[in-house]
Amino acid sequence: MQAVISGLANGSIYALIAVGLTLVFGIMRIINFAHGEFLMIAMYGGFFAWSAFGIDPVLAVVIVTPVVMLIGVGLYKGLIRFALNVPDINQMAVTLGLSMLLQHMALMMFTGNNRLITQPRSTASIAIGPAIIQVPQLIACVASLSLLGLLYLVLRRSDLGLVMRAVSQSRDGAALSGIDISAVYKWAMAIGIGSLGVAGPLMAAILYVNPMVGALFTLKAFVIVIVGGLGSFSGVLIGSLLVGLAESIAAAWFSAAISAAVPFAILLLVLLIRPEGLMSARMR
Amino acid sequence: MRDFAAVAIIIAVIIVAFAAALTDGYYMDIFILTCFYGTLAVAWNLMAGLTGLMSLGHALFVGIGAYSVAWGYTAHQWSPLVTWPIGIGLSIAVAIVIGLLCFRYGLKGYFFAIATLACGEIAFFAVSATTALGRSDGIILPLAKNPELHLQFIAKWPYGLMIGSFLTLTLLAGQFLMRSRIGYYWRSLRDNEDAAEALGVNAMAMKVLSFAISAGVASVCGAFYAHYVAFVDPRSVLGVDISVQLLVYAIVGGMGLLWGPLVGAAVLVPFGMFLRNFSFLQGSEVIFYAVLLIGLALVLPQGVSGWVVGRIGKAKAAAELPS
């Protein structure tokens, strides 16, 4: 029971990370291997807001998110824009290079020390039936689900969402209908990376931050996105809950190393049985 | 014939480099590592550049080769005559299974890359959890009673000779394959799979063959690594880092030619070692790699070798034109 609760809590946090990746892929058809590194930056942002200015992680979200969104736009303007028309493998090389660059720059600037936001409420926990959930985890979980809801509304109900869905269905068709593709891409990056700005500070209160933390989440986000079906919104939610659950159950029954391999085993299974993903509506 | 001429020049360069490296253990170390990564990169490119299958899981095969040697030797005192075939055979078998599964469901491009990445990561975590394989602490290969039989040498040159000749063999065999029917099938699959299949190329068999050969070569490199370093752990032989490094060499060197990534390795490996001499630059070599990788991927999509060969071709064409 405890494993199920913490698995679901982890899963909903994963969803917040994976949704940005799938958004960027769905719209721009580019796989961002540096996605986790932006999460790492956001986590550091949250950590330093707390350690230097004593800002609560929940408040830090309000500061870090716009900054990270701007970084996303800057990334599009400065780099990704040029990578859109090169072959797949070169795109991979560009984002992998970016991920290496950010990791090692963070290592130089912040050193490899593990850092964690510790507050009075860090150790507090709430009982849910026979299981307990820690307060920072609960906060991140609630924030994640509400942000996912918000994003869903934006994509479904707003003009921006309509335009984004159009671009993801057919880039050329959308361009012919007079949609400014470049502006849509800019927004996709802003939202895709910006959602990490929400996840980062809240996660810095749960998990140690170090320069390598991002790589782990990039891989997990990939797994989730492919398991759920590329570009599928509901797929992200289902995929991340599945991965979170499987991980924590495997950790409870077996060892930590086995649990780390579990997401990849799920990925292989899904790729082999249903390569298009579990919720392959293709569309949000 | 032109292609063979290029390979002949490269082999001559390898021999000269080996002779030059004989003077100093440090240079020999650089030579050995360059050949190690160079061979891996050529094997990787056989798949990626020439058959159009990007793998991000080649660390898996390096790991199988290295762990076969390390485990066979420490647990059973098996000689390399036993452990190498085990490693190669196991790698090829694993590649065939992964290949059959992936290609059966038509995984391509990003999806194939991520599927292979996942296979590598599963092996990484599985080995990290297996007590018989030393968990994440790795395995140290102790000195044998008759060291030569276990490929343990005090001098470094025998290792240089081994990996240098293996690289040469790989290049020659690869070049031969490129010129054979199979090589043309591979390139036809890379350029247009549907068209190639329509013309009767057995896509499945050809792709699996390419994967198996590439994996076999990679596992020989892994086995060699275990002998040379006398220590294997999941990070050094099964980590994603190796797979990513191969991509870096390929992008820098160019993937259109069999030996393109070798050029990348020959430039970057010694340069990385050189940068490591300066302690104040610690970790900066990766930053340098990364910037180079991003820049070249965008500016020179065909890599350094492709660019140079293109230039030579253009110059020749210009010279042959009647003025």
Side-chain angles (χ1 to χ4, degrees):
Chain A
M1 187 61 198
Q2 179 62 49
V4 172
I5 292 289
S6 56
L8 288 176
N10 282 341
S12 57
I13 299 170
Y14 293 163
L16 187 54
I17 300 164
V19 75
L21 192 73
T22 197
L23 191 78
V24 170
F25 181 84
I27 292 170
M28 304 172 70
R29 301 279 143 198
I30 192 165
I31 283 197
N32 184 6
F33 277 87
H35 194 67
E37 271 61 48
F38 292 99
L39 176 69
M40 182 259 295
I41 292 173
M43 285 173 80
Y44 270 113
F47 175 81
F48 285 117
W50 170 77
S51 71
F53 308 107
I55 299 173
D56 191 281
V58 177
L59 281 178
V61 166
V62 186
I63 306 163
V64 173
T65 307
V67 174
V68 179
M69 279 176 90
L70 278 179
I71 296 179
V73 174
L75 179 69
Y76 173 71
K77 284 275 173 199
L79 188 66
I80 302 295
R81 191 155 57 104
F82 305 107
L84 288 173
N85 295 317
V86 297
D88 279 5
I89 188 149
N90 290 55
Q91 287 181 355
M92 252 167 66
V94 170
T95 56
L96 268 171
L98 185 66
S99 138
M100 281 155 59
L101 187 67
L102 292 174
Q103 266 179 24
H104 283 83
M105 278 169 61
L107 195 60
M108 284 176 119
M109 277 154 62
F110 307 136
T111 74
N113 294 346
N114 283 322
R115 297 160 200 262
L116 180 70
I117 298 178
T118 41
Q119 290 170 299
R121 69 159 181 267
S122 301
T123 45
S125 51
I126 294 171
I128 304 175
I132 51 167
I133 182 165
Q134 287 183 324
V135 172
Q137 226 172 359
L138 191 65
I139 295 175
C141 198
V142 170
S144 163
L145 293 178
S146 26
L147 189 79
L148 285 177
L150 186 69
L151 279 178
Y152 184 78
L153 283 181
V154 168
L155 284 169
R156 276 285 162 209
R157 298 271 181 263
S158 73
D159 284 353
L160 179 66
L162 187 70
V163 169
M164 280 184 167
R165 281 182 291 147
V167 173
S168 104
Q169 272 176 359
S170 164
R171 177 169 150 188
D172 295 342
L176 283 174
S177 332
I179 293 173
D180 180 356
I181 302 283
S182 174
V184 174
Y185 283 174
K186 209 166 65 191
W187 274 105
M189 288 290 285
I191 298 176
I193 305 280
S195 59
L196 298 172
V198 178
L202 298 176
M203 283 181 64
I206 303 172
L207 201 77
Y208 287 105
V209 195
N210 65 48
M212 301 300 152
V213 78
L216 185 71
F217 284 101
T218 307
L219 288 176
K220 270 186 199 158
F222 274 156
V223 173
I224 289 164
V225 164
I226 293 179
V227 167
L230 276 166
S232 151
F233 203 90
S234 51
V236 165
L237 198 57
I238 290 178
S240 41
L241 293 181
L242 187 68
V243 167
L245 265 181
E247 254 184 1
S248 71
I249 290 175
W253 284 351
F254 308 108
S255 70
I258 297 284
S259 125
V262 160
F264 299 104
I266 297 179
L267 169 69
L268 277 187
L269 271 179
V270 168
L271 274 178
L272 296 176
I273 296 162
R274 205 176 148 82
E276 68 272 28
L278 296 176
M279 308 291 284
S280 52
R282 275 240 25 223
M283 275 317 315
R284 270 155 300 272
Chain B
M1 260 357 262
R2 273 248 306 283
D3 301 351
F4 274 105
V7 170
I9 294 172
I10 292 169
I11 291 172
V13 171
I14 295 171
I15 294 170
V16 170
F18 175 69
L22 281 173
T23 54
D24 190 297
Y26 176 63
Y27 292 140
M28 189 50 91
D29 198 37
I30 295 181
F31 175 79
I32 291 169
L33 281 180
T34 307
C35 287
F36 169 72
Y37 283 114
T39 315
L40 275 177
V42 169
W44 184 84
N45 199 37
L46 202 66
M47 270 183 87
L50 303 167
T51 321
L53 299 165
M54 279 188 280
S55 152
L56 280 181
H58 260 50
L60 173 61
F61 307 113
V62 179
I64 290 177
Y67 268 97
S68 303
V69 167
W71 176 79
Y73 172 62
T74 49
H76 304 283
Q77 304 295 311
W78 285 342
S79 95
L81 290 177
V82 181
T83 52
W84 284 47
I86 292 180
I88 299 169
L90 199 59
S91 276
I92 292 179
V94 169
I96 290 176
V97 171
I98 297 177
L100 284 176
L101 288 173
C102 287
F103 303 142
R104 179 164 142 66
Y105 293 96
L107 297 187
K108 277 185 209 145
Y110 278 142
F111 295 93
F112 180 71
I114 289 173
T116 50
L117 180 69
C119 293
E121 287 295 280
I122 290 176
F124 177 88
F125 289 117
V127 170
S128 305
T130 309
T131 317
L133 297 177
R135 313 190 70 139
S136 37
D137 300 333
I139 303 177
I140 298 171
L141 284 76
L143 197 64
K145 282 203 189 83
N146 37 5
E148 282 78 17
L149 286 183
H150 287 282
L151 297 178
Q152 293 176 336
F153 308 102
I154 296 165
K156 281 190 170 169
W157 68 264
Y159 293 111
L161 190 62
M162 273 162 65
I163 193 75
S165 6
F166 186 61
L167 172 59
T168 309
L169 265 177
T170 309
L171 278 173
L172 285 174
Q175 193 57 43
F176 176 75
L177 276 173
M178 281 303 99
R179 280 276 153 228
S180 72
R181 187 177 279 256
I182 293 172
Y184 286 105
Y185 284 160
W186 282 345
R187 274 167 287 176
S188 72
L189 286 171
R190 173 194 65 185
D191 294 338
N192 190 333
E193 188 169 334
D194 295 334
E197 276 202 293
L199 289 170
V201 175
N202 185 344
M204 179 67 133
M206 282 299 133
K207 287 202 265 186
V208 170
L209 181 67
S210 166
F211 198 2
I213 293 176
S214 185
V217 175
S219 83
V220 173
C221 292
F224 167 81
Y225 182 90
H227 286 297
Y228 179 54
V229 180
F231 171 68
V232 295
D233 73 336
R235 265 231 94 69
S236 62
V237 295
L238 277 169
V240 197
D241 306 11
I242 289 193
S243 309
V244 173
Q245 247 167 327
L246 298 183
L247 177 75
V248 176
Y249 299 143
I251 291 285
V252 171
M255 305 195 344
L257 294 156
L258 176 72
W259 44 269
L262 178 60
V263 176
V267 173
L268 290 183
V269 175
F271 194 74
M273 301 270 282
F274 171 73
L275 284 182
R276 247 174 257 175
N277 290 340
F278 307 100
S279 56
F280 64 92
L281 285 174
Q282 228 170 35
S284 69
E285 86 232 28
V286 184
I287 293 183
F288 171 80
Y289 277 165
V291 172
L292 194 70
L293 181 64
I294 297 173
L296 281 178
L298 293 178
V299 179
L300 273 188
Q302 71 277 55
V304 174
S305 71
W307 183 72
V308 170
V309 170
R311 269 303 170 90
I312 294 174
K314 255 187 211 159
K316 271 199 179 154
E320 278 161 13
L321 278 179
S323 52

